[in-house]
Coordinates of all heavy atoms in Angstrom, one line a residue:
W126 N 131.7 18.7 31.9 CA 132.3 17.5 31.1 C 131.2 17.0 30.2 O 130.0 17.2 30.4 CB 132.7 16.4 32.1 CG 133.8 16.9 32.9 CD1 133.7 17.5 34.2 CD2 135.2 16.7 32.7 NE1 135.0 17.7 34.7 CE2 136.0 17.2 33.9 CE3 136.0 16.0 31.7 CZ2 137.3 17.2 34.0 CZ3 137.4 16.0 31.9 CH2 138.0 16.6 33.0
M127 N 131.6 16.2 29.2 CA 130.7 15.5 28.4 C 131.3 14.1 28.0 O 132.5 13.9 28.0 CB 130.5 16.2 27.0 CG 131.7 16.5 26.2 SD 131.5 17.1 24.6 CE 131.1 15.6 23.7
A128 N 130.4 13.1 27.8 CA 130.9 11.8 27.4 C 131.0 11.8 25.9 O 130.0 11.9 25.2 CB 129.8 10.8 27.8
S129 N 132.2 11.9 25.4 CA 132.4 12.0 23.9 C 132.4 10.6 23.3 O 132.2 10.4 22.1 CB 133.7 12.7 23.6 OG 134.8 12.1 24.3
E130 N 132.6 9.5 24.1 CA 132.5 8.1 23.6 C 132.0 7.2 24.7 O 132.4 7.4 25.9 CB 133.8 7.6 23.1 CG 134.4 8.3 21.9 CD 135.7 7.7 21.4 OE1 135.8 6.4 21.5 OE2 136.5 8.4 20.9
F131 N 131.2 6.3 24.4 CA 130.7 5.3 25.4 C 130.4 4.0 24.6 O 129.8 4.0 23.6 CB 129.5 5.8 26.1 CG 129.2 4.8 27.3 CD1 129.7 5.0 28.6 CD2 128.3 3.7 27.1 CE1 129.4 4.1 29.5 CE2 128.1 2.9 28.1 CZ 128.6 3.0 29.4
E132 N 130.8 2.9 25.2 CA 130.6 1.6 24.5 C 130.3 0.5 25.6 O 131.0 0.4 26.6 CB 131.8 1.2 23.7 CG 131.7 -0.1 23.0 CD 132.9 -0.5 22.2 OE1 133.9 -1.0 22.8 OE2 133.0 -0.2 21.0
F133 N 129.3 -0.3 25.4 CA 129.0 -1.4 26.2 C 129.6 -2.6 25.5 O 129.6 -2.7 24.2 CB 127.5 -1.8 26.3 CG 126.8 -0.9 27.3 CD1 125.7 -0.1 26.9 CD2 127.1 -0.9 28.6 CE1 125.0 0.7 27.7 CE2 126.4 -0.1 29.6 CZ 125.4 0.7 29.1
S134 N 130.1 -3.7 26.2 CA 130.5 -4.9 25.6 C 130.3 -6.0 26.6 O 130.1 -5.8 27.8 CB 132.0 -4.9 25.1 OG 132.8 -4.7 26.2
G135 N 130.3 -7.3 26.2 CA 130.2 -8.4 27.1 C 130.2 -9.7 26.4 O 129.8 -9.9 25.2
E136 N 130.7 -10.7 27.2 CA 130.7 -12.1 26.7 C 129.4 -12.8 27.1 O 128.6 -12.2 27.9 CB 131.9 -12.8 27.4 CG 133.3 -12.2 27.1 CD 133.7 -12.4 25.7 OE1 133.3 -13.5 25.1 OE2 134.4 -11.5 25.1
M137 N 129.2 -13.9 26.5 CA 127.9 -14.6 26.8 C 127.9 -15.0 28.2 O 126.8 -14.9 28.9 CB 127.8 -15.9 25.9 CG 126.5 -16.5 26.1 SD 125.9 -17.9 25.1 CE 127.2 -18.1 23.9
E138 N 129.0 -15.4 28.8 CA 129.0 -15.7 30.2 C 130.0 -14.8 30.9 O 131.2 -15.0 31.0 CB 129.6 -17.2 30.4 CG 128.7 -18.2 29.9 CD 129.2 -19.6 30.1 OE1 130.2 -19.8 30.8 OE2 128.5 -20.6 29.7
G139 N 129.4 -13.8 31.5 CA 130.2 -12.8 32.2 C 129.5 -11.5 32.4 O 128.4 -11.3 31.9
N140 N 130.1 -10.6 33.1 CA 129.5 -9.3 33.4 C 129.7 -8.4 32.2 O 130.6 -8.5 31.4 CB 130.1 -8.7 34.6 CG 129.8 -9.4 35.8 OD1 128.8 -10.0 36.0 ND2 130.8 -9.4 36.8
M141 N 128.8 -7.5 32.1 CA 128.8 -6.5 31.0 C 129.9 -5.5 31.3 O 130.1 -5.0 32.4 CB 127.5 -5.8 30.8 CG 127.5 -4.9 29.6 SD 125.8 -4.4 29.1 CE 125.2 -3.6 30.5
D142 N 130.8 -5.1 30.2 CA 131.8 -4.2 30.4 C 131.5 -2.9 29.7 O 130.5 -2.8 29.0 CB 133.1 -4.7 29.7 CG 133.6 -6.0 30.4 OD1 133.6 -6.1 31.6 OD2 134.1 -6.9 29.6
F143 N 132.2 -1.8 30.1 CA 132.0 -0.6 29.4 C 133.4 0.1 29.2 O 134.3 -0.1 29.9 CB 131.0 0.3 30.1 CG 131.6 1.0 31.3 CD1 132.1 2.3 31.3 CD2 131.7 0.3 32.5 CE1 132.6 2.9 32.4 CE2 132.2 0.8 33.7 CZ 132.7 2.1 33.6
N144 N 133.4 1.0 28.2 CA 134.5 1.9 28.0 C 134.0 3.3 27.7 O 132.9 3.4 27.1 CB 135.3 1.5 26.6 CG 136.0 0.2 26.7 OD1 136.9 0.0 27.6 ND2 135.6 -0.7 25.9
T145 N 134.6 4.3 28.3 CA 134.1 5.6 28.1 C 135.2 6.6 28.0 O 136.3 6.4 28.6 CB 133.2 6.1 29.2 OG1 132.5 7.3 28.9 CG2 133.8 6.2 30.6
T146 N 135.0 7.7 27.2 CA 135.9 8.8 27.2 C 135.1 10.1 27.6 O 134.0 10.3 27.0 CB 136.5 9.0 25.7 OG1 137.2 7.9 25.4 CG2 137.4 10.3 25.7
I147 N 135.5 10.8 28.5 CA 134.8 12.0 29.1 C 135.7 13.2 28.9 O 136.9 13.2 29.4 CB 134.5 11.7 30.6 CG1 133.6 10.5 30.6 CG2 133.8 12.9 31.1 CD1 133.4 10.0 32.1
S148 N 135.3 14.1 28.1 CA 136.1 15.3 27.8 C 135.6 16.6 28.5 O 134.4 16.7 28.6 CB 136.1 15.5 26.3 OG 136.6 14.4 25.6
A149 N 136.5 17.5 28.8 CA 136.1 18.8 29.3 C 135.2 19.5 28.3 O 135.5 19.5 27.2 CB 137.3 19.6 29.7
A150 N 134.1 20.0 28.8 CA 133.2 20.7 28.0 C 133.2 22.2 28.3 O 132.3 23.0 27.8 CB 131.8 20.1 28.2
G151 N 134.1 22.7 29.0 CA 134.2 24.2 29.4 C 135.4 24.3 30.3 O 136.1 23.3 30.6

């Protein structure tokens, strides 16, 4: 597999979030 997209995000008061897309690489 490979991570084709990854993003961190977060509010000033709160935990850090993430979004990811993982695609088959073979």
